[in-house]
Amino acid sequence: MVKFTVIGGDSSEDLARKIARSLKAPYVKTENRVFPDGESKITIKKIPRNNIILVVQSTYPPVDTNLLHLLSVISKARKYSSKIYAIIPYMGYARQDREFLEGEVISISVIGKLLRAVGTRKIITVDIHSNIALRELKIPSENITAITELVKYFKKKKLTNPLIVSPDLGGKQRAIKFANLMGIESIALKKHRDRKTGVVNIVTSKVNVKERDLILVDDMISTGGSIIRSTQFLKKQKCKRVFVACTHALLVNNAENRIKKAGVTEIISTNTIPKKTSKVNVAKIIADAVL
Ligand code: R5P
């Protein structure tokens, strides 16, 4: 029988413990001491040998600190096993998967090089932003989806004539999948983002959502711009309530309050990023993917 050891990085301790419980595997904690100059001293004691080691660490803000922590833990774990799997539930930098403007660095490909250099054998992510990002890592990888778990949450809700809405065309397939599992319909809005300023606008001019409860589905919320603009547009179209379902809620720059102010009734995210909104647990689907 395959034996696993789970090491929980700083950013994903609670989720890592849950994954270990699900796998009935030993859990190893990391200790992190931060020096006055900002450097980290990471210590990991008593790592069992000869197991597949799962290092669990999401790379949400502070992104670079959490990334270095991940690389350091993998590098240490590599001394105890040749089979190191990096479980990166939220993979930061995945939106930097191509050269959108001339001269831009494809950061996700740099991260792939770093992960390979420290000895990562396999990567498991949850709803990574794009398949291009996954390919750029150039490490055997598996991307699992939390949509099934988010749908379970929403199936328990009493909704009025619900409709799934994607805030942009890029998320159309995600919305279709969500809607099919809910047994309802979906639409996708057309969004424009200025690549220099980051400002988002909804280009779609009219949709028929009157008196309907809507679920806005996205892979991630960062500044909240996409969700806020979509909600403002949908409210103008006289919809009923707007719920938000997303896998990764970064919610930077007071995004949660601004989204609520725009008229969203509830934001539901998963524990790939620990937040108040993380009401859906992905430990079981990650453990199942590992087995
Ligand atoms: C974009 O393609 C993504 O799927 C998200 O819609 C986007 O990254 C969310 O960012 P923000 O919350 O800053 O609009």
Side-chain angles (χ1 to χ4, degrees):
M1 212 178 109
V2 189
K3 278 187 165 182
F4 296 103
T5 293
V6 180
I7 304 182
D10 237 15
S11 71
S12 299
E13 242 191 275
D14 183 60
L15 176 57
R17 279 183 201 279
K18 289 189 169 108
I19 295 170
R21 219 171 296 141
S22 223
L23 290 168
K24 297 189 174 47
Y27 175 79
V28 177
K29 190 176 156 33
T30 55
E31 283 159 33
N32 190 7
R33 197 174 136 216
V34 182
F35 291 115
D37 61 2
E39 286 181 5
S40 294
K41 167 64 90 188
I42 299 157
T43 310
I44 317 159
K45 290 181 194 147
K46 295 197 188 101
I47 303 178
R49 287 188 185 272
N50 301 323
N51 283 359
I52 293 180
I53 298 181
L54 310 175
V55 177
V56 188
Q57 168 88 339
S58 277
T59 54
Y60 56 82
V63 182
D64 295 345
T65 302
N66 283 336
L67 178 64
L68 186 64
H69 188 105
L70 169 71
L71 295 165
S72 306
V73 176
I74 293 173
S75 168
K76 182 76 174 169
R78 181 64 188 80
K79 298 189 187 324
Y80 298 83
S81 167
S82 60
K83 293 192 185 126
I84 311 291
Y85 295 0
I87 315 273
I88 314 172
Y90 168 68
M91 171 68 95
Y93 282 108
R95 288 179 295 177
Q96 298 195 39
D97 60 358
R98 64 201 92 165
E99 199 174 328
F100 291 101
L101 299 175
E102 199 193 333
E104 287 179 351
V105 172
I106 303 173
S107 305
I108 195 69
S109 136
V110 178
I111 289 166
K113 280 185 196 157
L114 294 170
L115 285 166
R116 289 199 298 279
V118 291
T120 310
R121 178 71 78 84
K122 185 177 177 179
I123 295 178
I124 295 177
T125 55
V126 183
D127 288 324
I128 193 167
H129 180 68
S130 80
N131 286 327
I132 300 172
L134 208 59
R135 281 198 296 277
E136 283 290 339
L137 290 166
K138 298 195 175 74
I139 300 178
S141 56
E142 195 173 336
N143 178 50
I144 55 174
T145 182
I147 289 180
T148 42
E149 305 309 298
L150 286 161
V151 164
K152 279 182 203 161
Y153 183 95
F154 276 95
K155 274 196 167 166
K156 290 186 201 137
K157 273 199 182 297
K158 227 174 157 302
L159 300 167
T160 308
N161 197 10
L163 178 72
I164 304 299
V165 183
S166 169
D168 51 45
L169 295 177
K172 191 174 174 183
Q173 291 311 318
R174 185 180 306 117
I176 291 175
K177 186 167 182 174
F178 203 107
N180 286 346
L181 289 167
M182 292 279 294
I184 59 178
E185 290 180 332
S186 70
I187 57 167
L189 307 179
K190 197 167 175 201
K191 171 180 102 179
H192 174 263
R193 185 189 291 274
D194 185 307
R195 288 252 162 244
K196 285 200 177 123
T197 62
V199 172
V200 167
N201 276 307
I202 299 301
V203 181
T204 305
S205 55
K206 197 172 164 27
V207 286
N208 194 2
V209 293
K210 208 166 171 197
E211 292 305 316
R212 296 182 82 163
D213 277 338
L214 307 178
I215 306 174
L216 268 170
V217 176
D218 212 343
D219 58 335
M220 60 188 286
I221 306 172
S222 181
T223 63
S226 307
I227 294 299
I228 290 168
R229 288 283 181 228
S230 304
T231 304
Q232 289 167 339
F233 167 72
L234 294 163
K235 287 277 175 186
K236 273 197 194 134
Q237 304 287 308
K238 307 259 183 301
C239 70
K240 203 171 172 213
R241 294 175 297 174
V242 176
F243 295 86
V244 174
C246 77
T247 306
H248 317 291
L250 292 165
L251 296 171
V252 300
N253 301 342
N254 200 23
E256 189 178 351
N257 284 341
R258 291 188 301 109
I259 289 172
K260 290 272 171 68
K261 233 170 136 190
V264 167
T265 302
E266 191 182 356
I267 307 168
I268 293 98
S269 67
T270 78
N271 55 351
T272 59
I273 298 174
K275 286 269 173 193
K276 263 202 328 244
T277 54
S278 314
K279 296 169 188 164
V280 171
N281 178 14
V282 291
K284 175 79 172 57
I285 55 169
I286 292 177
D288 288 348
V290 165
L291 284 171

